[in-house]
Amino acid sequence: MKIREIRATPVNIPLRAPYRFSYGSTGSLTKTVVELMTEDGVTGLGECADGDRAADVARMAERLIGYDLRDVGPAARACVHGMSYTPWDNVTAHRRVFAGIEMAMWDARARSEGVPLYRLLGGAVRQEIPLTEYFSYRLPGREDAGEASPTDVARYCARMIEDHDARAFEGKVGTVDLAEEVRMVAEVRAAIGARTLQLDANGAWTLPTARQAMKALMPSDIAWFEEPCETYEEMAALRQHFACSFSTHIVDLPKAARLGCPDAIVTNINELGGIRGTLEFVAACAAMGVGFRFHSGETGVASAAYLHLSAALDHVRGASQTLLRWYADDVIEGGPLVPKSGVLRVPDGPGLGVTLDPAALRRCHERYLAEGRFPAGASAPPGSAYGSTFRKQ
């Protein structure tokens, strides 16, 4: 079970229509797909969520060739500093990059043993993983006209119920005039009936603006509000006035427990240092009375890892986020995962239970080379080739 070779390939996953959120808009997502090959000929898959990390994966791989797949702890110590900060390096980046490789280590180990990943994580407490249906204003795409008005968004949500039996909805606010968003949310509520409705402002508002916005939006029966403001302290201040639950992507568990707000932390595997780190973090959330869910935006590789962790961890309750319905491509065989009736079943094949489609991987990589990465501001370096690889010589 020793590591022989590691390959990393940056890819762009296109969306059917660019969606708007408080940071602007995006029509694609850049990720790095990791392929880890063992000396026994088994391949495990992983993913770095934060853009093109191929060169970083190749550098880190130099330290990991020859490691046993089961030595996750020693491998982490070889790649990630033990402190949370150093002025000479980027600990956060190392943690995220190692997490993509570590995901592939777990996948390869489970494939070697011929079992689904959730078996290595303690077994499944659930087989169907609840997910939200996302909505937002979306700009016109090549194959999708998007939504440009409150009525358009409400009709989209109604169509998701009719076509896919969607059960819970989460939508972006903080993107246009507040009065228009209040109309949008009210029309969505009318379209979805008593189904769960959650909102996400991505920290767009100041505390006074958030208080005003929430006062106008809460009559639509909002169950969860994600990041109406950016800080924990601001959300705790809002808690005094509003009964809904709050969530955030910012990871600070001790502060959440101390302030009693937010109610849940919503993040990904990379941010927590890998699958082992996620197991430990979710256990700490359970002990400290803070909820946990996954957010979306990864390829089918990391999405499958989310499903296995959600299956194995009882504390991951409620619907995690997903943008899967908006994907126009993916790197896995069968294309993007398709939720139905508000859930996805955890894959039951060996490892993550998904398989790379070589043609799709190349297509998504070539799209990255042509378009550059998201967020914009950098593109592939001159001479960039398909996949960065490091192997035992």
Side-chain angles (χ1 to χ4, degrees):
M1 286 193 184
K2 292 186 177 181
I3 299 170
R4 174 177 62 85
E5 179 181 338
I6 297 174
R7 170 187 284 264
T9 306
V11 299
N12 273 14
I13 301 299
L15 303 178
R16 297 183 182 279
Y19 76 91
R20 297 179 63 177
F21 62 134
S22 65
Y23 300 161
S25 66
T26 180
S28 67
L29 306 166
T30 302
K31 308 295 171 182
T32 302
V33 176
V34 177
E35 298 170 84
L36 180 153
M37 285 65 79
T38 72
E39 293 179 350
D40 303 318
V42 176
T43 298
L45 303 177
E47 181 175 337
C48 299
D50 59 330
D52 178 2
R53 292 292 186 178
D56 297 320
V57 170
R59 283 191 292 269
M60 194 169 286
E62 298 179 22
R63 306 179 186 183
L64 296 176
I65 301 304
Y67 267 81
D68 191 292
L69 298 174
R70 294 163 292 191
D71 288 337
V72 169
R77 287 191 292 274
C79 295
V80 184
H81 291 291
M83 70 285 287
S84 60
Y85 168 77
T86 169
W88 299 284
D89 217 331
N90 188 332
V91 178
T92 299
H94 286 193
R95 183 178 67 245
R96 291 169 175 171
V97 171
F98 175 74
I101 298 173
E102 191 244 31
M103 188 185 301
M105 293 174 68
W106 281 94
D107 182 35
R109 177 185 168 187
R111 290 177 191 269
S112 295
E113 298 184 17
V115 298
L117 174 59
Y118 64 74
R119 286 281 171 81
L120 300 185
L121 307 180
V125 297
R126 59 180 69 86
Q127 291 289 340
E128 294 186 336
I129 311 306
L131 300 167
T132 62
E133 194 75 48
Y134 235 86
F135 66 87
S136 176
Y137 277 9
R138 296 189 298 159
L139 305 173
R142 293 178 182 176
E143 302 177 2
D144 194 317
E147 294 80 38
S149 71
T151 300
D152 288 344
V153 175
R155 286 173 177 167
Y156 171 83
C157 294
R159 190 167 72 251
M160 292 304 99
I161 295 172
E162 181 177 351
D163 294 350
H164 305 289
D165 189 28
R167 304 293 179 86
F169 289 81
E170 182 166 350
K172 297 294 189 185
V173 291
T175 64
V176 298
D177 180 75
L178 177 58
E180 185 174 342
E181 289 189 330
V182 171
R183 291 197 302 273
M184 176 187 73
V185 172
E187 290 196 34
V188 167
R189 168 54 72 198
I192 69 173
R195 293 169 178 83
T196 299
L197 179 55
Q198 305 173 183
L199 298 177
D200 181 3
N202 291 113
W205 296 322
T206 64
L207 181 56
T209 301
R211 191 178 295 116
Q212 176 189 2
M214 291 188 66
K215 184 177 180 180
L217 291 163
M218 289 307 292
S220 291
D221 189 19
I222 309 304
W224 283 82
F225 214 118
E226 188 156 286
E227 295 181 342
C229 297
E230 207 165 31
T231 72
Y232 281 36
E233 289 81 3
E234 288 170 318
M235 284 185 277
L238 289 170
R239 163 62 52 76
Q240 302 173 34
H241 305 284
F242 303 103
C244 72
S245 298
F246 293 89
S247 60
T248 182
H249 295 315
I250 299 171
V251 179
D252 192 337
L253 180 56
K255 184 181 287 187
R258 185 172 70 252
L259 294 176
C261 190
D263 302 273
I265 294 172
V266 183
T267 190
N268 63 27
I269 294 169
N270 293 90
E271 202 64 32
L272 299 175
I275 287 176
R276 190 182 76 152
T278 302
L279 293 171
E280 293 171 348
F281 185 80
V282 174
C285 285
M288 299 178 81
V290 178
F292 180 89
R293 298 195 300 274
F294 289 106
H295 71 53
S296 184
E298 282 65 54
T299 76
V301 174
S303 296
Y306 293 172
L307 296 176
H308 282 273
L309 281 159
S310 298
L313 294 169
D314 181 61
H315 190 61
V316 184
R317 300 171 185 169
S320 288
Q321 298 172 347
T322 178
L323 303 178
L324 292 170
R325 193 83 68 203
W326 292 349
Y327 287 16
D329 204 355
D330 206 337
V331 298
I332 61 173
E333 289 184 357
L337 301 168
V338 181
K340 187 68 176 177
S341 299
V343 301
L344 274 172
R345 286 192 61 83
V346 61
D348 58 6
L352 293 175
V354 296
T355 303
L356 275 185
D357 180 332
L361 181 66
R362 181 176 294 276
R363 181 173 65 244
C364 292
H365 177 62
E366 291 173 349
R367 185 181 296 112
Y368 163 78
L369 295 178
E371 298 176 355
R373 70 172 175 88
F374 172 80
S379 58
S384 178
Y386 168 70
S388 299
T389 304
F390 191 88
R391 62 173 64 85
K392 177 185 280 189
Q393 302 299 318

